[in-house]
Amino acid sequence: MVYSNTLKDLGLKNAQGSYYSLPELGKVLGTEVNRLPHSIRIVLESVLRNFDGQRITEEHVKQVANWEPNAKRVDEIPFVVARVVLQDFTGVPLLADIAAMRGVAQKNGHNPKLIEPMVPVDLVVDHSVMIDYFGTENALDLNMKVEFERNRERYEFMKWGMQAFDTFGVVPPGFGIVHQVNLEYFARGVYKDKNNVYYPDSLVGTDSHTTMINGIGVVGWGVGGIEAEAAMLGQPVYILTPDVIGVELSGQLNPGVTATDLVLTVTNMLRAANVVGKFVEFCGEGTASLTVPDRATIANMAPEYGATMGFFPVDEKTIDYFRYTGRTDEEVEAFKAYFSAQEMFGVPNASDIDYTKLLKLDLSSIVPSVAGPKRPQDLIKLTDVKSTFDDLFSKSSSEDGFNKNPDTLTEEYLVEGKDGLTLKNGDILIAAITSCTNTSNPSVLIAAGLVAKKAVELGLKVNPKVKTSLAPGSRVVTRYLTETGLLPYLEELGFDVAAYGCTTCIGNAGDLAPELNKAITNNELVCSAVLSGNRNFEARIHPNIKANFLASPPLVVAYALAGTVRRDLYKDPIGLSSDGPVYLKDIWPTIDEVRELANYAMNPEAYRENYERIKTDPGELWNKIEGVSGDVYSWPESTYIAEPPFFDDFSMTPGAIPVVKGARALGIFGDSVTTDHISPAGSIAEHSPAGTWLKENNVKKPDFNSYGSRRGNHEIMMRGTFANVRIKNLMIPPLPNGALHEGGDTIHKPSGELMPIFTAAMLYQSENTPTVVFGGEEYGTGSSRDWAAKGTLLLGVKAVIARSYERIHRSNLVGMGVLPLQFQGDDSIESLGITGDETYDISGLEGGIKPQQEVTLTIHRENGTSQDVKLLLRIDTPIEVEYYEHGGILPFVLRDLLSTDQAV
């Protein structure tokens, strides 16, 4: 091997092992490797260690080793990851795809075991539980029983996967959220191969918040299930050489300011700095002062600020975290020795590293805040929440307002059948301590418990119209809340443990009382939810709740007590005790009070006992699930699991590149259309195309479950694509009051008939008419939902044309064989006068595809004129060209595996 002299002894006390030395590589190449950002060095190590002269060449090693802060980014890096992590919403369709690939292999005369993950794959079931029951001591048990009843078919499928694939494991429901389980259990710091070569942990995950693992110095990020499948089957993860933005933190947080306030401020700052698609790496004394849970909280939100990663280097606090979360002494020794040997131990000063750009933030400047009411990057100081809500109430939709008559802001409406209960605009109907972002962080959970304790002691209560819930990220959280004596106070206010999973933040809040839903819809009220999550996009939390605010867990408790966002928590009373008004300052804990109890969260034995139960005691409900056996899956009649259609008519020879001529617009959308808008998520409306299909297949409305739980069935998912109740298709004229039409509808051309997007898509396909979708800035922002791309493909869309793309969704479109095209300069839907009345041709790909080449969009207008517009092809790398030419990444990988016919 060219770089064999970089293999050095690690010098461990209790084990033998070697490692590929980056400092030695720097000497060989004559480059200052120690000036590279730590995140780039970890990528470099992977390229060096996996160098084989074929997939990974000497040129790749030199390109990464000679990374320059401000170079033009044209080179792609083949990054081989150590493992893959899945959650069940994304994991089930991924498992379905791989099961289908095995079937194709068998039909083509190959051993189906050719299709086998080459790296460890762990799936955590955390997205299926819903908050049907809350505010009672048996809420957890009741919700889990309902979960297993609803999802039995999916869990049977997972159990088949566990026995069919050698490197596929499942963490059953009820253990925690995938990202917290990843932090506390999966991550081992460093790994050792069969040759006793140590290497750092790295991964991709099928959830965009996989970046939470960056808090402990692990390089990893979220990808679509499409890319994850390729990584599982031996393909490197190909990325353009990234910019690395340094963020120098200084100072300390002031009393009363939480880690959540910090992360919401960082999210706002970095989104404004346009770090989309870049690595972000934290440095400086302020970074070194942060606890690991605080670092993980910031890293978790990387998708919200748009970065590929939010990376924190390894230091002594990382080592301490590994110790108190139950890792062995041998693992901790190897972890510290490895990063010390690589000269990467410790948080660097900004002057030590060459960053593309350096941003600075003084921690002492941060104040208590929330984010919302529609996007996680929209920061609002706590002092301004009431005034911001009041201002947005009457602002137009184009100004991100609610477009309501200001005279109705303070009106009070009677809730029929609820004993005199009334509703007003701004009333909080959901208050949830939920989501991986904050339920991994003991400081904010203990603070929430202390707020509850002080409130209960003062006699405060939560209004009965507020749906309260506590969904910890790990069972360990319940243990330390119990040991500190705080859990009973949370329960007294209705924050009983209702689930261990990703609940309200992903739309699994469960429904409101029918009487509340009726009052909201009949009176067009703008009611609120407050949650400690990372996502608050329109219709995500609940279809009838329009104003959703992200807040720290203690603020969630405070707002539940206040019952409305139209109260200034700094000035107005939060409630009344027998002694008079109670203010936020009266129930807010001090730093010392939180620190005094923090040690309860640092119990290694608690972590070890909890995670040993995955194998020894996964739970009675899980043990009762029976999985079928065999290497190839026999697809049952099911509304949950169906054989995916992506390999229909598969052959070893790729088909011709699709011709886009005479296309129609299926939808025209504005800025910040998220994957929540595109991909089916949340509840299934009874009269939607998906709901109609379920009823036609003898599924009753109470058994619809959610789109997420049915992601293994393409019939449901394609019907739910672009079906979000808040999506705004600009092809449809505004309402008489000027508001934009909401819901997954379009206008079929040339008939002019208004119909669901799915119905129009099927009609266009029957007419052999190709379709395109237009978008604005940040198209595809949000969770790494592969179905946002899969559904787009199955609807017959040949190309998406937008002003800019979110990283994961762009690559997912390529991975499914859909062209991502980008307007250039000042061109946009508006400037070009695109209305959907036109037809469209796309040309320029006939002579072969080159990454980021120009193509031509020809717009044919109804008056007989036409216009040529130059677009940028957002197929960014040579490997993506191959994926697209093969009709997507899955056919590409399958052809590659079958052509070699070697056991994986």
Side-chain angles (χ1 to χ4, degrees):
M1 177 181 172
V2 176
Y3 300 112
S4 57
N5 57 343
T6 62
L7 190 63
K8 301 293 182 182
D9 181 67
L10 189 53
L12 298 173
K13 295 178 182 177
N14 301 308
Q16 293 293 317
S18 55
Y19 74 107
Y20 283 99
S21 169
L22 297 180
E24 187 63 30
L25 177 68
K27 294 177 185 177
V28 171
L29 297 178
T31 61
E32 291 189 278
V33 169
N34 66 335
R35 296 288 305 175
L36 295 177
H38 286 208
S39 52
I40 292 292
R41 285 189 240 177
I42 293 174
V43 173
L44 174 60
E45 188 280 340
S46 172
V47 174
L48 173 64
R49 177 170 39 86
N50 290 285
F51 165 78
D52 59 7
Q54 297 175 341
R55 287 186 314 169
I56 300 176
T57 66
E58 189 173 352
E59 186 62 26
H60 287 130
V61 177
K62 291 179 179 178
Q63 283 171 357
V64 183
N66 288 287
W67 178 89
E68 294 180 5
N70 296 292
K72 185 178 180 181
R73 305 303 180 196
V74 294
D75 299 325
E76 62 178 3
I77 302 172
F79 181 43
V80 177
V81 296
R83 57 192 178 93
V84 174
V85 170
L86 317 173
Q87 42 96 329
D88 56 312
F89 272 14
T90 50
V92 166
L94 182 150
L95 184 60
D97 288 345
I98 297 213
M101 292 170 78
R102 274 201 169 177
V104 173
Q106 187 179 62
K107 289 175 186 175
N108 282 267
H110 296 272
N111 180 358
K113 291 287 282 184
L114 278 171
I115 312 301
E116 182 76 36
M118 294 182 67
V119 297
V121 179
D122 292 294
L123 184 152
V124 179
V125 185
D126 68 344
H127 275 51
S128 297
V129 65
M130 301 181 75
I131 308 298
D132 293 295
Y133 297 91
F134 65 98
T136 64
E137 62 181 10
N138 60 349
L140 174 63
D141 290 338
L142 292 172
N143 286 328
M144 285 193 66
K145 286 176 181 175
V146 174
E147 174 190 356
F148 273 82
E149 289 170 5
R150 287 174 175 154
N151 296 281
R152 176 183 55 81
E153 295 172 37
R154 300 170 68 240
Y155 296 166
E156 289 173 347
F157 183 47
M158 291 179 199
K159 280 206 165 179
W160 168 80
M162 291 173 71
Q163 63 81 41
F165 297 101
D166 296 336
T167 54
F168 178 81
V170 175
V171 175
F175 276 89
I177 295 174
V178 57
H179 310 304
Q180 192 159 347
V181 175
N182 198 14
L183 277 172
E184 295 175 355
Y185 179 56
F186 292 152
R188 314 318 293 182
V190 292
Y191 293 90
K192 182 170 64 172
D193 68 15
K194 61 184 179 182
N195 297 316
N196 287 332
V197 174
Y198 282 86
Y199 58 96
D201 190 6
S202 63
L203 70 147
V204 289
T206 57
D207 189 297
S208 51
H209 295 101
T210 298
T211 53
M212 192 168 191
I213 202 71
N214 305 155
I216 56 172
V218 174
V219 166
W221 55 82
V223 296
I226 305 150
E227 293 172 279
E229 288 169 74
M232 287 167 52
L233 296 171
Q235 292 290 313
V237 177
Y238 288 91
I239 58 170
L240 277 178
T241 305
D243 289 343
V244 182
I245 307 301
V247 178
E248 183 181 20
L249 301 181
S250 61
Q252 290 186 328
L253 296 176
N254 289 316
V257 176
T258 68
T260 313
D261 302 318
L262 165 60
V263 73
L264 294 178
T265 303
V266 168
T267 300
N268 175 265
M269 179 184 88
L270 293 181
R271 177 60 76 171
N274 189 23
V275 298
V276 174
K278 299 175 173 61
F279 285 9
V280 167
E281 185 167 308
F282 292 85
C283 60
E285 292 182 2
T287 297
S289 73
L290 295 178
T291 67
V292 166
D294 285 0
R295 298 175 189 182
T297 306
I298 296 171
N300 180 286
M301 293 286 277
E304 280 66 50
Y305 44 83
T308 302
M309 288 198 301
F311 184 84
F312 288 82
V314 173
D315 67 354
E316 200 64 57
K317 288 189 176 179
T318 322
I319 300 300
D320 291 343
Y321 179 82
F322 267 62
R323 285 197 180 97
Y324 79 68
T325 50
R327 272 68 169 202
T328 66
D329 290 341
E330 291 77 14
E331 287 175 318
V332 171
E333 181 203 0
F335 187 26
K336 185 171 183 178
Y338 180 86
F339 278 87
S340 297
Q342 295 285 28
E343 299 177 9
M344 292 171 59
F345 190 80
V347 175
N349 294 319
S351 59
D352 297 334
I353 304 293
D354 295 326
Y355 295 114
T356 303
K357 184 178 181 181
L358 183 67
L359 304 175
K360 298 183 179 183
L361 177 64
D362 182 352
L363 299 181
S364 66
S365 68
I366 295 169
V367 298
S369 307
V370 304
K374 298 180 181 181
R375 301 191 306 175
Q377 65 262 37
D378 293 335
L379 188 72
I380 309 171
K381 293 180 181 179
L382 189 59
T383 51
D384 298 337
V385 174
K386 177 184 182 298
S387 60
T388 299
F389 178 87
D390 290 356
D391 187 42
L392 290 173
F393 183 77
S394 57
K395 277 192 171 181
S396 67
S397 300
S398 62
E399 299 174 287
D400 287 328
F402 298 106
N403 205 44
K404 301 296 180 184
N405 183 344
D407 295 337
T408 64
L409 175 61
T410 58
E411 290 290 329
E412 198 164 356
Y413 301 89
L414 189 67
V415 179
E416 295 178 12
K418 279 293 184 180
D419 299 326
L421 190 70
T422 59
L423 271 188
K424 299 188 296 295
N425 291 297
D427 279 359
I428 294 168
L429 301 184
I430 290 177
I433 300 174
T434 182
S435 165
C436 48
T437 314
N438 290 288
T439 59
S440 67
N441 195 323
S443 68
V444 289
L445 287 168
I446 289 169
L450 288 168
V451 168
K453 180 176 186 290
K454 293 170 185 278
V456 168
E457 289 172 345
L458 289 168
L460 302 187
K461 296 184 182 298
V462 173
N463 191 298
K465 64 190 171 190
V466 182
K467 184 172 187 176
T468 48
S469 62
L470 169 59
S474 163
R475 290 179 181 178
V476 176
V477 174
T478 304
R479 180 163 173 166
Y480 68 68
L481 286 177
T482 301
E483 291 175 349
T484 56
L486 297 177
L487 188 59
Y489 294 103
L490 286 162
E491 293 171 337
E492 183 71 20
L493 296 181
F495 288 96
D496 298 76
V497 174
Y500 294 103
C502 200
T503 55
T504 305
C505 193
I506 60 162
N508 282 5
D511 208 355
L512 302 174
E515 297 86 351
L516 291 175
N517 280 325
K518 184 178 179 181
I520 295 169
T521 55
N522 285 356
N523 300 293
E524 298 184 355
L525 293 173
V526 181
C527 292
S528 300
V530 180
L531 63 149
S532 65
N534 46 37
R535 293 279 163 83
N536 57 344
F537 301 128
E538 292 180 290
R540 182 183 179 97
I541 308 305
H542 188 281
N544 289 335
I545 296 181
K546 295 184 177 180
N548 302 287
F549 295 91
L550 306 181
S552 65
L555 274 180
V556 171
V557 178
Y559 268 114
L561 293 164
T564 177
V565 295
R566 296 199 64 249
R567 187 172 295 174
D568 185 339
L569 296 192
Y570 268 82
K571 297 178 181 177
D572 301 331
I574 207 164
L576 292 172
S577 72
S578 57
D579 295 327
V582 177
Y583 294 87
L584 181 62
K585 62 182 177 62
D586 299 325
I587 59 173
W588 200 259
T590 65
I591 291 176
D592 290 339
E593 288 174 319
V594 173
R595 285 176 178 166
E596 186 179 342
L597 300 176
N599 286 336
Y600 284 93
M602 301 178 184
N603 181 352
E605 193 57 36
Y607 290 91
R608 281 191 285 265
E609 287 177 4
N610 179 55
Y611 290 113
E612 283 171 4
R613 290 178 59 191
I614 292 172
K615 296 178 180 178
T616 62
D617 183 21
E620 182 182 353
L621 293 170
W622 183 253
N623 287 334
K624 287 182 178 178
I625 296 291
E626 297 180 0
V628 296
S629 60
D631 292 338
V632 178
Y633 191 63
S634 299
W635 300 94
E637 289 292 327
S638 169
T639 57
Y640 279 93
I641 306 294
E643 185 171 11
F646 308 120
F647 304 101
D648 292 352
D649 304 318
F650 175 83
S651 72
M652 290 298 291
T653 303
I657 293 174
V659 175
V660 184
K661 191 170 184 178
R664 289 286 185 177
L666 190 60
I668 299 175
F669 305 107
D671 295 341
S672 299
V673 168
T674 71
T675 48
D676 279 5
H677 290 113
I678 306 166
S679 174
S683 59
I684 301 172
E686 184 172 5
H687 300 294
S688 66
T692 300
W693 186 88
L694 283 170
K695 288 190 292 185
E696 289 172 351
N697 284 270
N698 303 314
V699 179
K700 297 178 180 178
K701 177 65 173 72
D703 300 321
F704 276 14
N705 210 331
S706 66
Y707 278 115
S709 66
R710 293 186 180 274
R711 291 181 73 158
N713 191 314
H714 61 278
E715 296 287 358
I716 295 289
M717 299 305 285
M718 63 191 290
R719 285 167 170 80
T721 302
F722 293 109
N724 184 291
V725 297
R726 294 284 173 259
I727 197 169
K728 300 174 181 69
N729 185 351
L730 302 180
M731 289 175 65
I732 302 172
L735 301 175
N737 65 358
L740 297 177
H741 176 97
E742 292 186 331
D745 299 316
T746 193
I747 296 177
H748 175 261
K749 298 291 182 177
S751 70
E753 184 181 350
L754 180 71
M755 61 182 68
I757 284 177
F758 169 79
T759 306
M762 295 303 102
L763 186 54
Y764 283 129
Q765 287 194 37
S766 71
E767 299 166 346
N768 292 318
T769 301
T771 54
V772 297
V773 166
F774 289 96
E777 300 281 1
E778 299 179 346
Y779 185 84
T781 297
S783 302
S784 54
R785 289 204 174 103
D786 52 343
W787 267 109
K790 287 180 175 178
T792 299
L793 171 74
L794 292 181
L795 291 181
V797 175
K798 303 302 181 188
V800 176
I801 305 166
R803 285 279 300 164
S804 64
Y805 290 90
E806 191 274 342
R807 175 184 61 85
I808 298 174
H809 185 58
R810 183 207 61 80
S811 64
N812 278 352
L813 289 172
V814 177
M816 290 311 300
V818 178
L819 284 171
L821 303 171
Q822 189 165 317
F823 289 117
Q824 300 189 93
D826 295 328
D827 286 347
S828 67
I829 297 163
E830 295 80 10
S831 71
L832 296 170
I834 294 171
T835 64
D837 294 329
E838 310 86 2
T839 61
Y840 315 95
D841 302 337
I842 296 172
S843 57
L845 302 177
E846 300 81 5
I849 301 174
K850 295 181 180 178
Q852 296 199 343
Q853 71 176 74
E854 279 194 336
V855 299
T856 301
L857 171 70
T858 302
I859 304 170
H860 300 282
R861 306 188 189 279
E862 286 187 310
N863 62 7
T865 63
S866 63
Q867 178 181 7
D868 287 343
V869 179
K870 295 295 184 182
L871 303 174
L872 179 67
L873 174 67
R874 288 303 312 276
I875 294 179
D876 288 352
T877 65
I879 191 65
E880 286 188 341
V881 171
E882 290 195 64
Y883 293 160
Y884 182 76
E885 290 176 340
H886 277 259
I889 193 171
L890 301 183
F892 171 86
V893 172
L894 185 55
R895 290 186 182 108
D896 183 54
L897 290 171
L898 297 186
S899 65
T900 58
D901 198 18
Q902 294 176 353
V904 175

